[in-house]
């Protein structure tokens, strides 16, 4: 099952995210709606079912599983609440649609927004903080995965509800490992081991042409965020933007420079496939057997198992150094409930639906059907998830990785209004170092300075 991922910037200019939205930076609801969670009495005395519009980015198999959950909820609340799901496109498109809806005063009741949009969603001042619902109902967040709560908690408040979340893993061709005399139950744990394994896994034909690379993965900005977190390096300043507004990114850190130089050396020595930034090419390189190891999201697990002619193994995302403290950050999206412009009945009905999605039963169905994490850890014990894990034990690796991850500022991830542009800028610098004569340190430093201007623009736009 493939997850929906963004590859483009949110908007052309960073400041454009908030310019033109008068409520950006505001903590009040303005006219027509409350940013405080209503109680269950808000649903009393309704003439018909309360209509809830849900904008999301789930299509194909993921969309089918989500629609099944929506139908199940509507059947349980027939005559009281009716949820209508509406696919808006990929993550970038959904956020752009939501931004336009804010300007028009016509937002959906619930919107699914990817992790990089978190700071903008807070700044827009449109949504009821998730913490308000938790406090109103004394809702027990205990079963929710700690790493996810850590990411979506800002200034001590849970701002949105985790839903379709993932973490990257190391995937291996177990058949190739056995052929090379390597233990397929022991994937490499750090960059040095990846190189050592790649030397054994790489196969060259007559004339030295590579027939199988030991390693091959996309130049994907999310991986830099992950490597930094696992090395206990914040991605941006001011406590990853959680102790004050981020003013600069730190991806010119020596650890990142070392990572990019290592990557370049692997390609130069014919041990890693030069795949660039195209995620589809990187996936195909692995499933075709051209690269024996790769890095990808848990959301790619289903597709890898279905499309590969060899046995697929999975291990923890690697460290830069063997003695790095590890830790793991998440990807994917969360659910935001709009308050401004909506009645208390609609807001309460939206919360009832979100609670349904977070139950162990729903998460068992969701995890088994899509490959995303079960954000409710009790969901892994559900019949659907248990059956899936028994058939494909690789699915449990991501849950184990998160369970063994410390929750701290570094693993919380950077909170910044231009995170999407930061990710793309990091990728551009990374690729520049790989395909030109520009040293990695110079490319990353220039990218850091370039992004600083966009951060300043965004911060100025929200006051």
């Amino acid at each position: 099952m493939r997850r929906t991922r963004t590859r483009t910037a949110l908007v052309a200019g960073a400041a454009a995210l908030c310019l033109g939205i008068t409520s950006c930076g505001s903590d009040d609801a303005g006219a027509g709606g409350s940013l405080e969670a209503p109680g269950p009495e808000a649903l009393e005395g309704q003439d018909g079912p309360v209509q809830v519009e849900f904008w999301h980015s789930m299509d194909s198999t993921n969309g089918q599983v989500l629609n099944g959950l929506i139908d199940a909820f509507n059947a349980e609340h027939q005559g009281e609440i009716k949820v209508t799901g509406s696919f808006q496109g990929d993550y970038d498109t959904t956020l752009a649609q939501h931004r336009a809806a804010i300007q028009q005063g016509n937002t959906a009741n619930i919107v699914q927004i990817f992790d990089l949009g978190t700071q903008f969603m807070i700044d827009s001042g449109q949504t009821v903080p998730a913490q308000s619902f938790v406090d109103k109902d004394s809702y027990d967040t205990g079963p929710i995965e700690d790493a996810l709560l850590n990411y979506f908690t800002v200034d001590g408040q849970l701002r949105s509800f985790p839903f379709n979340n993932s973490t990257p893993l190391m995937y291996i061709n177990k058949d190739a490992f056995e052929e090379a005399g390597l233990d397929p139950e022991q994937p490499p744990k750090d960059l040095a081991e990846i190189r050592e394994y790649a030397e054994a896994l790489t196969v060259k034909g007559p004339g030295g042409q590579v027939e199988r690379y030991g390693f091959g993965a996309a130049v994907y900005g999310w991986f830099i965020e992950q490597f930094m977190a696992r090395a206990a390096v914040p991605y941006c300043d001011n406590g990853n933007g959680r102790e004050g507004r981020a003013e600069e990114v730190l991806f010119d850190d020596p650890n990142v420079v070392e990572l990019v130089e290592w990557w370049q050396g692997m390609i130069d020595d014919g041990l890693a496939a030069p795949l660039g930034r195209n995620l589809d090419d990187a996936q195909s390189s692995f499933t075709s057997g051209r690269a024996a190891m790769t890095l990808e999201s848990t959301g790619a697990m289903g597709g890898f198992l279905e499309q590969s002619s060899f046995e697929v193994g999975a291990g923890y995302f690697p460290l830069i150094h063997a003695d790095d403290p590890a830790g793991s950050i998440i990807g994917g999206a969360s659910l935001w409930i709009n308050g401004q412009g909506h009645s208390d009945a609609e807001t309460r009905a939206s919360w009832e639906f979100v609670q349904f999605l977070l139950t162990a039963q729903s998460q068992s169905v969701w995890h088994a059907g899509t490959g995303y994490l079960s954000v409710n850890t009790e969901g892994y014990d559900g019949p659907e998830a248990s059956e899936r894990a028994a058939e494909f034990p690789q699915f449990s690796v991501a849950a184990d990785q998160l369970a063994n991850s410390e929750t701290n500022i570094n693993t919380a991830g950077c909170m910044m209004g231009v995170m999407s542009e930061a990710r793309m800028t990091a990728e551009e610098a990374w690729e520049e170092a790989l395909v030109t004569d520009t040293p990695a340190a110079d490319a990353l430093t220039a990218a850091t300075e370039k992004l600083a201007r966009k951060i300043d623009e965004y911060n100025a736009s929200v006051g």
Side-chain angles (χ1 to χ4, degrees):
M1 320 295 178
R2 294 183 56 197
R3 64 190 175 95
T4 306
R5 289 167 293 184
T6 178
R7 299 296 296 164
T8 57
L10 294 174
V11 289
L17 281 167
C18 269
L19 294 177
I21 302 178
T22 57
S23 61
C24 251
S26 171
D27 289 329
D28 57 55
S34 171
L35 298 191
E36 294 291 330
E41 66 277 1
L43 293 175
E44 297 175 358
Q46 300 298 315
D47 294 333
V50 179
Q51 303 294 319
V52 173
E53 186 177 14
F54 173 28
W55 283 7
H56 63 80
S57 297
M58 299 288 95
D59 62 353
S60 303
T61 300
N62 295 346
Q64 293 171 14
V65 178
L66 180 57
N67 287 336
L69 291 172
I70 292 173
D71 291 343
F73 175 83
N74 286 339
E76 286 185 13
H77 295 79
Q78 190 169 7
E80 300 173 346
I81 302 171
K82 183 177 181 181
V83 176
T84 301
S86 178
F87 173 70
Q88 297 296 306
D90 64 15
Y91 287 147
D92 275 318
T93 303
T94 299
L95 183 53
Q97 296 277 67
H98 178 62
R99 179 175 175 269
I102 293 173
Q103 294 172 320
Q104 297 162 7
N106 187 30
T107 60
N109 300 99
I110 308 172
V111 61
Q112 177 194 41
I113 298 294
F114 68 148
D115 53 337
L116 302 190
T118 299
Q119 184 64 62
F120 167 72
M121 291 298 291
I122 294 171
D123 290 337
S124 68
Q126 303 291 309
T127 61
V128 181
Q131 191 68 48
S132 184
F133 294 103
V134 170
D135 294 343
K136 185 72 174 181
D137 285 16
S138 297
Y139 179 76
D140 182 14
T141 60
I144 306 301
E145 175 63 59
D146 286 343
L148 302 178
L149 294 175
N150 187 42
Y151 188 95
F152 294 110
T153 295
V154 183
D155 294 332
Q157 284 201 331
L158 184 64
R159 300 306 301 238
S160 60
F161 293 100
F163 176 55
N164 60 301
N165 298 108
S166 58
T167 186
L169 298 173
M170 162 74 78
Y171 291 94
I172 66 168
N173 179 334
K174 297 179 77 170
D175 293 0
F177 266 56
E178 291 178 351
E179 176 189 313
L182 300 171
D183 184 355
E185 303 306 321
Q186 298 293 327
K189 300 179 180 63
D190 55 54
L191 298 187
E193 283 195 354
I194 293 176
R195 184 179 180 91
E196 177 186 343
Y197 282 43
E199 289 172 349
L201 289 162
T202 298
V203 176
K204 296 183 179 180
Q209 185 174 358
V210 177
E211 296 179 351
R212 183 180 70 207
Y213 290 95
F215 177 77
V219 174
Y220 185 23
W222 188 35
F223 296 156
I224 285 184
E225 296 161 39
Q226 191 77 17
F227 276 113
M228 292 178 74
R230 292 177 73 72
V233 176
Y235 187 84
C236 57
D237 65 349
N238 292 328
N240 251 340
R242 293 167 183 273
E243 297 170 356
R245 279 202 179 272
E247 298 177 347
E248 64 176 347
V249 292
L250 306 175
F251 50 59
D252 57 350
D253 182 89
N255 286 275
V256 185
V257 174
E258 181 179 347
L259 167 68
V260 174
E261 290 176 342
W262 173 88
W263 206 285
Q264 184 176 31
M266 290 283 288
I267 292 174
D268 290 346
D269 294 341
L271 302 175
L275 296 170
R277 296 162 63 187
N278 191 304
L279 291 162
D280 290 336
D281 287 351
Q283 289 189 354
S284 297
S285 179
F286 179 70
T287 56
S288 68
R290 184 159 176 76
M293 298 181 287
T294 194
L295 306 176
E296 246 297 0
S297 162
T298 53
M301 179 82 74
F304 282 172
L305 293 172
E306 293 169 4
Q307 298 164 22
S308 302
S309 60
F310 51 84
E311 187 176 359
V312 175
Y316 288 5
F317 193 88
L319 306 171
I320 296 176
H321 312 105
D323 58 353
D324 284 346
S328 185
I329 58 174
I330 58 92
S334 62
L335 303 177
W336 299 77
I337 298 176
N338 284 302
Q340 187 166 340
H342 300 284
S343 69
D344 282 353
E346 292 171 341
T347 302
R348 182 69 198 189
S350 299
W351 169 224
E352 296 294 335
F353 175 59
V354 170
Q355 288 183 82
F356 171 82
L357 292 179
L358 298 180
T359 61
Q361 180 180 356
S362 294
Q363 284 297 304
S364 175
V365 172
W366 179 248
H367 169 68
T370 66
Y372 281 111
L373 297 166
S374 174
V375 302
N376 184 327
T377 57
E378 295 174 358
Y380 292 118
D381 298 325
E384 300 85 3
S386 296
E387 181 179 347
R388 184 74 159 170
E391 184 178 4
F392 300 109
Q394 300 95 326
F395 274 88
S396 64
V397 176
D400 293 341
Q401 178 174 272
L402 277 182
N404 293 326
S405 174
E406 291 188 14
T407 55
N408 52 43
I409 285 292
N410 299 312
T411 58
C414 174
M415 197 57 52
M416 185 169 60
V418 293
M419 271 301 296
S420 181
E421 294 194 66
R423 181 174 289 180
M424 185 165 64
T425 302
E427 290 176 2
E428 291 170 346
W430 185 359
E431 190 169 49
E432 180 184 0
L434 296 182
V435 302
T436 72
D437 293 331
T438 305
D442 292 349
L444 290 164
T445 297
T448 299
E449 294 170 352
K450 172 184 176 182
L451 193 67
R453 295 187 292 272
K454 297 182 179 181
I455 297 172
D456 288 344
E457 290 174 3
Y458 180 89
N459 288 347
S461 77
V462 297

